């Protein structure tokens, strides 16, 4: 943690403009949803163990799917 003292209680906070505040809330919601999904996967693994190899998708296939989503469509 920072070794700097906390700001005084009487210090006024600078308000964000509405668009920046909405963007911050949207980012927070996406991050929270991703964390919840990851936590669910870890809870499932803790409760049921790792899935069998036959049930898993090879990482190369997952990488290619991810890259295909990243690439722009070629006409």
């Amino acid at each position: 943690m920072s070794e700097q003292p906390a700001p005084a209680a009487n210090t006024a906070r600078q308000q964000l403009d509405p668009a920046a505040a909405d963007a911050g809330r949207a980012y927070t919601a996406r991050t929270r949803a991703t964390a919840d999904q990851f936590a669910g996967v870890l809870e499932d693994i803790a409760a049921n163990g790792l899935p069998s190899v036959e049930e898993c998708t090879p990482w190369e296939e997952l990488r290619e799917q991810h890259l295909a989503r990243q690439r722009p469509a070629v006409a």
Side-chain angles (χ1 to χ4, degrees):
M1 299 255 284
S2 174
E3 303 226 357
Q4 296 178 357
N10 61 358
T11 303
R13 295 179 114 185
Q14 180 181 357
Q15 294 295 313
L16 296 174
D17 64 84
D22 289 343
R25 286 186 202 96
Y27 174 78
T28 302
R30 288 190 310 270
T31 303
R32 185 173 289 127
T34 301
D36 288 345
Q37 183 180 17
F38 184 58
V41 169
L42 293 178
E43 288 170 354
D44 180 68
I45 290 171
N48 303 308
L50 292 170
S52 68
V53 174
E54 293 81 23
E55 294 177 18
C56 296
T57 305
W59 72 268
E60 297 92 348
E61 205 173 300
L62 294 172
R63 180 192 63 209
E64 290 303 317
Q65 291 171 5
H66 177 72
L67 291 174
R69 286 191 302 268
Q70 302 275 326
R71 293 182 195 123
V74 178

